[in-house]
Amino acid sequence: MKTVTIEELLTWAFVHELPKGGGVDGLDNANSAWRMLEASSWGKITSFAELGAIVDQGRGDTENYWIEQGEPHDDAVAVGRAVAGLSRCDVAVPAGWNALADWPDTEGMAEAAVKKAVERYMVRTPQRRAAGIVSLVVGTAILGREPDFGAEPSKVRMIERGGKPAWFVLRRMNHEDGKTYDIEVDGYNGRTHRPVKGAYRKYEFSTDPTGDILGRLDYQVWVAALRRLEAEIATQLVGHRLVYSDRSMTPWLEADRPGVAIVERAADRPAKKTAVAC
């Protein structure tokens, strides 16, 4: 048996084995082992093997040809099934999750940015989030590298308007629906050239940290997915032995801290069972 990490096993499976059947198009071809597994079509894999893995890769009347590739290794099939199974999962972000915990104190601005980014991520449908998990695992396996979790602290600056520090004020407005709303408006009086009563300054980051926050979210989703895959396929392998990873959820901090979890989607969960974090 060959001893490998889960990352090495994934790269081997998705670069060398699961593209089989897809000819020159590899994984992208509907006849590839991966696409068949992704479509939960094991019967097609069996037929593919019985035919000697001869796949018609025609691209028009003048470019029809057959390619003999052989069937994928059993361990690669186990990997493919497990990765395809991630499409039935979802991402659970714990309360108080702070992707920018390594940043200097920003008086709540960083925490607010993280909350906004998470809300933006959770607006995606569960199916889209699940597809993102699968794409993340497959993409990093093919590229042979981990997701980027870099997030240089952004400078805090005062919000300006017309090159000068801006003023803001809250005004209570009555809406036609009968409800009252507090609306933030310009707090500077252009006639007196002074801020109005109750006006205040506001601050912003010099660079928007949303991309870095979502990058760290992706990194933790990837680590959680690797841990799930390790646990699921370790006993199924016939030609490889897994060395369990001690990869940190928070490599940007001195100590490892809990992060996001991958859970079974409610719609795919067996009755009377709760979602299990992985």
Side-chain angles (χ1 to χ4, degrees), residues 153-174:
S154 178
K155 293 181 179 180
V156 176
R157 67 187 180 192
M158 187 178 294
I159 296 178
E160 295 184 345
R161 186 181 293 119
K164 297 181 179 180
W167 291 93
F168 301 85
V169 69
L170 286 177
R171 295 296 189 200
R172 183 153 292 182
M173 312 291 270
N174 295 319

Side-chain angles (χ1 to χ4, degrees), residues 97-103 114 146-153 212-223 247-260:
W97 183 75
N98 186 3
L100 304 178
D102 57 325
W103 281 26
V114 171
E146 65 186 20
D148 182 15
F149 54 80
E152 287 296 321
D212 289 340
I213 295 168
L214 293 177
R216 286 186 169 180
L217 179 61
D218 275 349
Y219 173 83
Q220 291 197 346
V221 168
W222 177 68
V223 173
R247 185 179 292 277
S248 172
M249 268 282 183
T250 54
W252 49 89
L253 300 176
E254 292 184 1
D256 189 21
R257 295 184 185 177
V260 304

Side-chain angles (χ1 to χ4, degrees), residues 205-243:
F205 288 120
S206 58
T207 56
D208 185 359
T210 301
D212 289 340
I213 295 168
L214 293 177
R216 286 186 169 180
L217 179 61
D218 275 349
Y219 173 83
Q220 291 197 346
V221 168
W222 177 68
V223 173
L226 294 187
R227 292 177 180 178
R228 178 186 179 95
L229 294 172
E230 282 180 336
E232 183 173 344
I233 68 177
T235 59
Q236 301 178 29
L237 302 177
V238 295
H240 297 81
R241 180 184 296 106
L242 276 181
V243 175

Side-chain angles (χ1 to χ4, degrees), residues 6 10 15 32 45 56 64 84 98-99 113 116 133 139 147 152 154 156 171 173-175 177 187 208 235-236 246 262:
I6 184 63
L10 285 164
V15 173
S32 71
I45 289 285
D56 182 4
N64 289 323
N98 186 3
K116 184 177 180 181
I133 301 171
E152 287 296 321
S154 178
V156 176
R171 295 296 189 200
M173 312 291 270
N174 295 319
H175 195 267
D177 62 5
D208 185 359
T235 59
Q236 301 178 29
D246 58 354
I262 290 180

Side-chain angles (χ1 to χ4, degrees), residues 29-108:
N29 190 286
N31 291 309
S32 71
W34 164 240
R35 292 303 178 191
M36 291 180 180
L37 283 170
E38 194 177 32
S40 299
S41 185
W42 180 244
K44 292 183 180 179
I45 289 285
T46 302
S47 298
F48 158 70
E50 290 173 350
L51 290 173
I54 301 176
V55 181
D56 182 4
Q57 286 296 118
R59 292 188 181 181
D61 295 337
T62 62
E63 296 185 41
N64 289 323
Y65 50 89
W66 297 79
I67 297 179
E68 174 80 33
Q69 293 182 302
E71 59 185 290
H73 191 284
D74 287 345
D75 286 355
V77 173
V79 169
R81 281 175 170 165
V83 173
L86 294 173
S87 64
R88 298 188 296 272
C89 294
D90 199 354
V91 177
V93 182
W97 183 75
N98 186 3
L100 304 178
D102 57 325
W103 281 26
D105 182 24
T106 58
E107 298 185 357

Side-chain angles (χ1 to χ4, degrees), residues 85-91 125-131 133 228 262-270 273 275-276:
L86 294 173
S87 64
R88 298 188 296 272
C89 294
D90 199 354
V91 177
T125 63
Q127 292 77 15
R128 186 181 171 194
R129 291 194 296 270
I133 301 171
R228 178 186 179 95
I262 290 180
V263 298
E264 295 178 24
R265 281 214 311 270
D268 298 297
R269 205 182 305 149
K273 288 187 178 181
V276 179

